[in-house]
Amino acid sequence: MRRTTVLLSASLIALTATAASAQNAAPRNLILFVPDGLRGRIVTPQTAPAMAEIRDKGVHFKNSHSLFPTFTMANGSAMATGHYLGDTGVFSNTIFTGYTSVPAGDTVVPFIENDAVLGDIDEHFSGDYLNEETLLKMARAQGFSTAAIGKLGPTLQFDHGDRGKTTIVIDDSTGGKAGVSLSDEMKDALTKANLPLATPSRGDNGKAGDAKTPGTTSANVAQQAYMADVAAKVVLPMFKARNKPFVLVFWSRDPDGSQHNTGDSLNTITPGINGPTSMAGIKNADDNLAQLRKALDELGLSASTNIMISSDHGFSTISKESRTSPSAKISYADTPKDFLPMGFLAIDLAKALNLPLFDPNDKNAAVAADAHPKAGNGVLGKDPTKPEVVIATNGGSDLVYIPGKDRKLVDRTIKALLEQDYVSGIFVNDDLGRFPGTLPMSQLNLIGKAVTPQPSIVVNFRSWSSGCEEPTNCSVQVADTVLRQGQGMHGSFSRGDTLNFTAAIGPDFKSGYVDALPVSNADVGATAAKVLGLMQKPKGTLAGRVMTEAMPNGATPQAYAGSVKSKPAANGLRTVLNFQRVGTQRYFDTAGFPGRTLGLEEENKKTAGK
């Protein structure tokens, strides 16, 4: 393994200054606005005027990073705690828990964007599956008013242990049997504001379509209008009346939901996630932000409120094409000919390893030769209750668990992965040893104090640009998902997925400042805590940094760029990681096999996105 390090910027100021906010006599308020799936360079005064205004008048973090794997719950855990995934243990949206989760449908690989599932995992892991204090937990302990409003899953994650006892939680499940309960105060306030006590459904926006039927052509307007009304007309006035500082997290499902389910591009790469439905989703999130800012103005709270915006990840258009995959050569009732089915990784590994494949989302039923697992996940081995291999399907990357830690089985699995054209980069748990063509997971800060089971292997899938002026706006990736070619996904190491949108404005941030230093969603969590004057008692050491350079009188540190390359595999493939560094913090730009990941140059060639 070789390392190279290069000076990126030459600021001479050491990291010694204290952020200006820490000196404030009166605590500030904070709104953390998360536009789920917003690409870093898609925001303009035309596409998203409210976000563009904050970026241009406040701080523009132009070199921002989603943490890999670039999924919602993973990056939500980073924003909530200020820690990398090796500490939070939220390695993706679907993980292997090591036990059967009943609320998730009696499976060992639950999809965790679900309040009941989060409660179940909390209970199993001693009441705190994140194993780190969250922003809202720390804030309410210091007397702040706290609320989390928005998308099911990441919203609750910001104060998952409280479950609505003190922190106000409004998400998709509010008012339903599986939802977090509302206090009598909130019920009365909603009624007085003529707002229902239950969140409306997504309606047409929730329709993903199928191989023959396009998905949605509507943004998630009605549901998010309700949530924005709750925030602007109920929660913010309530917080003002309490005369205490507050923290509000608003997690906008759009543009993510509209980009995932878009019906503009069925089975074709273009326009993909650049069609009218996706753009309407971006505008919908922007409208919600504009409504919150208007409410702050009307309530006289703007001058004392910091607003931080950070999307959890970027986005890519889905490809379902492979020339090498055995799964693509099988005919399925719900998959176009020669396309990859959902669960292709589980199918291909079962064949390569000569192990029976069972479906953990179908009572461990055997998967027939002409079928695929219902949710893509798979357990491999003679006994599905004692699996030799577990595949947690997620999208632009998948997680592979080998519970027995059999090094020979790990080696065979890696060799099988190296044969597939849809693979671009393999990361292996450090405890299992080094393997040619792969890098250790610790290089990505995936090995820390997590209490959930660590993956054995993280598999990144291939990505490229479909061809546009800004390649990160038209990233394409092979994705293991029920969604179709032409719809949207994320999770890969494409710079289109790792380049998220981050901006800030308010009394504790500079005005009209462009921050060229690398920042990440772990930094967002750490900085949010700093401007609120909160001190975490960390259990892990994989923490983000406070973005002092964006604060008045704050220190501007130096940044460096580097790369790590694995030894080549027998077929010549090697995993390469391009990163930046500030102090001990690493920022992951791109990784994979050169020429197979958007932004990762092929040797002696220049690729788009760099």
Side-chain angles (χ1 to χ4, degrees):
M1 185 170 67
R2 295 204 314 262
R3 271 193 195 129
T4 60
T5 305
V6 183
L7 184 63
L8 218 209
S9 83
S11 174
L12 300 177
I13 307 174
L15 260 175
T16 56
T18 302
S21 62
Q23 302 170 2
N24 291 329
R28 309 291 197 190
N29 309 312
L30 173 68
I31 293 180
L32 174 58
F33 186 89
V34 185
D36 198 311
L38 183 68
R39 288 162 276 172
R41 294 177 183 161
I42 200 73
V43 172
T44 69
Q46 290 72 44
T47 60
M51 284 186 269
E53 182 180 28
I54 288 178
R55 176 196 64 192
D56 298 340
K57 291 184 178 180
V59 180
H60 175 197
F61 298 96
K62 63 181 292 186
N63 191 4
S64 56
H65 293 75
S66 173
L67 302 186
F68 177 83
T70 48
F71 290 107
T72 290
M73 294 300 286
N75 278 273
S77 76
M79 284 188 264
T81 67
H83 283 252
Y84 287 78
L85 312 184
D87 282 346
T88 71
V90 185
F91 298 104
S92 287
N93 289 341
T94 298
I95 61 175
F96 173 62
T97 53
Y99 75 96
T100 299
S101 174
V102 173
D106 294 315
T107 182
V108 294
V109 278
F111 178 69
I112 63 175
E113 287 184 12
N114 181 291
D115 292 346
V117 173
L118 291 181
D120 179 62
I121 297 173
D122 250 346
E123 183 178 349
H124 186 82
F125 292 103
S126 303
D128 186 4
Y129 72 95
L130 285 181
N131 202 36
E132 296 289 355
E133 290 180 304
T134 64
L135 182 69
L136 294 190
K137 178 181 179 179
M138 291 186 290
R140 64 177 165 80
Q142 294 301 315
F144 285 73
S145 293
T146 51
I149 299 173
K151 179 180 175 179
L152 182 66
T155 295
L156 179 60
Q157 193 164 229
F158 275 84
D159 203 356
H160 57 100
D162 181 68
R163 297 191 71 83
K165 296 183 183 71
T166 303
T167 294
I168 298 166
V169 176
I170 302 284
D171 61 20
D172 303 50
S173 294
T174 297
K177 291 182 179 179
V180 173
S181 298
L182 294 173
S183 67
D184 290 340
E185 180 188 23
M186 267 303 291
K187 291 177 181 178
D188 291 343
L190 288 169
T191 301
K192 289 177 181 177
N194 294 316
L195 291 171
L197 303 183
T199 301
S201 74
R202 294 172 64 188
D204 286 345
N205 182 258
K207 297 178 180 178
D210 54 36
K212 297 179 181 179
T213 308
T216 189
T217 56
S218 303
N220 191 30
V221 175
Q223 186 184 73
Q224 292 190 203
Y226 169 77
M227 291 175 172
D229 281 346
V230 170
K233 299 177 181 180
V234 175
V235 173
L236 288 176
M238 180 186 293
F239 286 176
K240 178 179 172 62
R242 290 179 183 176
N243 198 30
K244 296 194 301 183
F246 66 81
V247 186
L248 167 63
V249 176
F250 191 99
W251 196 294
S252 168
R253 181 182 288 276
D254 261 341
D256 179 271
S258 296
Q259 292 171 159
H260 274 309
N261 287 355
T262 178
D264 299 336
S265 196
L266 181 61
N267 294 325
T268 63
I269 297 297
T270 55
I273 58 169
N274 286 301
T277 303
S278 297
M279 302 313 291
I282 293 170
K283 185 60 168 60
N284 186 35
D286 196 72
D287 288 343
N288 294 160
L289 177 63
Q291 184 176 350
L292 295 183
R293 291 201 76 189
K294 184 173 183 289
L296 290 176
D297 287 341
E298 292 174 347
L299 292 166
L301 294 170
S302 293
S304 59
T305 303
N306 293 297
I307 300 175
M308 299 179 70
I309 306 171
S310 195
S311 57
D312 47 347
H313 48 72
F315 233 82
S316 299
T317 297
I318 295 169
S319 169
K320 291 283 192 170
E321 299 178 30
S322 169
R323 294 181 179 179
T324 62
S325 171
S327 70
K329 297 174 175 61
I330 301 171
S331 295
Y332 308 90
D334 61 354
T335 305
K337 188 177 185 298
D338 297 326
F339 273 22
L340 291 165
M342 175 174 60
F344 62 81
L345 187 66
I347 295 170
D348 288 349
L349 284 180
K351 181 177 177 62
L353 300 174
N354 194 28
L355 290 172
L357 172 60
F358 299 92
D359 190 342
N361 297 96
D362 188 22
K363 300 179 181 179
N364 285 334
V367 178
D370 60 348
H372 59 74
K374 287 186 175 180
N377 305 305
V379 291
L380 280 58
K382 295 180 180 179
D383 182 353
T385 65
K386 299 177 182 178
E388 295 179 56
V389 182
V390 178
I391 295 94
T393 295
N394 278 279
S397 60
D398 279 357
L399 306 178
V400 178
Y401 298 80
I402 300 178
K405 299 183 179 181
D406 182 337
R407 199 175 186 280
K408 290 183 179 179
L409 181 56
V410 173
D411 185 58
R412 291 174 59 209
T413 302
I414 291 167
K415 287 176 178 175
L417 294 170
L418 286 165
E419 294 299 316
Q420 296 304 325
D421 61 1
Y422 55 73
V423 173
S424 181
I426 303 170
F427 299 88
V428 180
N429 195 299
D430 298 51
D431 289 346
L432 299 172
R434 300 289 178 87
F435 299 84
T438 76
L439 286 174
M441 283 168 45
S442 59
Q443 289 287 341
L444 305 179
N445 285 350
L446 292 177
I447 304 294
K449 293 292 186 180
V451 295
T452 60
Q454 295 173 345
S456 302
I457 302 171
V458 182
V459 186
N460 180 53
F461 295 135
R462 184 178 181 181
S463 60
W464 64 96
S465 168
S466 64
C468 64
E469 185 175 349
E470 173 46 62
T472 62
N473 284 344
C474 56
S475 173
V476 181
Q477 68 186 221
V478 174
D480 199 354
T481 172
V482 67
L483 297 173
R484 306 295 166 175
Q485 178 156 301
Q487 293 185 305
M489 186 43 76
H490 47 89
S492 81
F493 238 131
S494 161
R495 191 61 177 122
D497 284 3
T498 65
L499 180 59
N500 62 327
F501 178 83
T502 307
I505 198 169
D508 292 319
F509 291 98
K510 292 177 180 177
S511 298
Y513 180 70
V514 178
D515 189 351
L517 293 181
V519 300
S520 77
N521 279 329
D523 296 351
V524 169
T527 303
K530 182 67 174 179
V531 300
L532 294 168
L534 303 174
M535 294 292 292
Q536 187 186 57
K537 298 176 182 177
K539 296 179 181 177
T541 60
L542 302 176
R545 71 178 180 91
V546 176
M547 301 181 291
T548 53
E549 72 277 7
M551 301 175 179
N553 304 315
T556 301
Q558 292 180 336
Y560 301 83
S563 66
V564 185
K565 299 179 181 180
S566 73
K567 292 181 179 180
N571 61 2
L573 292 174
R574 66 168 80 210
T575 297
V576 177
L577 168 66
N578 285 345
F579 66 89
Q580 299 173 61
R581 179 174 62 79
V582 174
T584 59
Q585 277 74 36
R586 274 188 166 195
Y587 301 87
F588 312 116
D589 295 332
T590 55
F593 303 145
R596 289 197 196 176
T597 295
L598 176 64
L600 186 64
E601 294 181 1
E602 205 168 353
E603 193 170 346
N604 299 323
K605 292 183 181 180
K606 187 176 181 181
T607 11
K610 285 293 287 180

